[in-house]
Amino acid sequence: MSMDVVAAALLGLLVAAVGTALLLLAAWFRWGRSTAARRWARRKDIDQAADYANLEALALAWTPMLGQTLLLAGPVIPLVTLLGIGTLAANTVTGLFIVVELGAWIAMLLMTVYRWILPLWMYPGWLREIRRREVEYLRDRRSRPH
């Protein structure tokens, strides 16, 4: 086995380990019961919220997305090196990885950017009902004549 493949394998392991750590952090954000684990959740009433749900999006959407991307990139790095960079097989693996991940990132971007409340399915159970009531409140407020 050449040095390039060994170096790529080590890099792939490192990238996958960082991805796994981010996924564990995302799981802690979602299921942790401590104040530190839930620090990302907006505590202000929706009428008092001064900003979009940036921390909520970071904890519930972007951290797991980045973790998933890195976890999947981990094995792609040595595989592409093993197949031979620039070969048809390596280009196919790289292209497939990029298309799938780019599609997932675009979908997540569309669901999370510039929203006061994220899609309800993104919230953990302990917060979902609160955000559901806020969605209904905002919907009622918008439908009332001024």
Side-chain angles (χ1 to χ4, degrees):
M1 195 179 283
S2 74
M3 253 343 227
D4 290 346
V5 175
V6 172
L10 290 175
L11 179 61
L13 280 173
L14 178 64
V15 168
V18 171
T20 301
L22 285 172
L23 289 173
L24 289 172
L25 179 63
W28 181 65
F29 286 153
R30 180 168 285 283
W31 293 297
R33 297 191 180 276
S34 68
T35 304
R38 296 180 176 189
R39 185 168 309 244
W40 53 266
R42 177 178 43 80
R43 287 172 177 61
K44 293 181 179 179
D45 188 64
I46 191 69
D47 284 331
Q48 299 170 343
D51 201 355
Y52 296 108
N54 292 330
L55 286 178
E56 291 183 357
L58 181 65
L60 298 174
W62 299 109
T63 300
M65 275 300 299
L66 184 57
Q68 175 237 266
T69 298
L70 293 175
L71 185 64
L72 292 177
V76 168
I77 294 169
L79 180 62
V80 166
T81 304
L82 190 61
L83 294 172
I85 295 172
T87 63
L88 179 61
N91 290 344
T92 302
V93 168
T94 304
L96 184 62
F97 173 76
I98 289 171
V99 167
V100 168
E101 285 303 303
L102 192 58
W105 278 96
I106 289 170
M108 190 60 70
L109 181 69
L110 292 173
M111 287 187 284
T112 60
V113 172
Y114 301 124
R115 292 184 65 140
W116 290 91
I117 300 171
L118 300 175
L120 293 175
W121 61 265
M122 285 187 178
Y123 288 101
W126 59 269
L127 187 56
R128 192 170 296 136
E129 191 54 41
I130 295 167
R131 295 298 181 256
R132 180 177 282 115
R133 284 193 301 268
E134 290 176 346
V135 166
E136 290 168 5
Y137 169 77
L138 291 174
R139 192 175 296 132
D140 289 345
R141 205 170 83 182
R142 266 187 251 131
S143 65
R144 282 189 230 140
H146 295 286

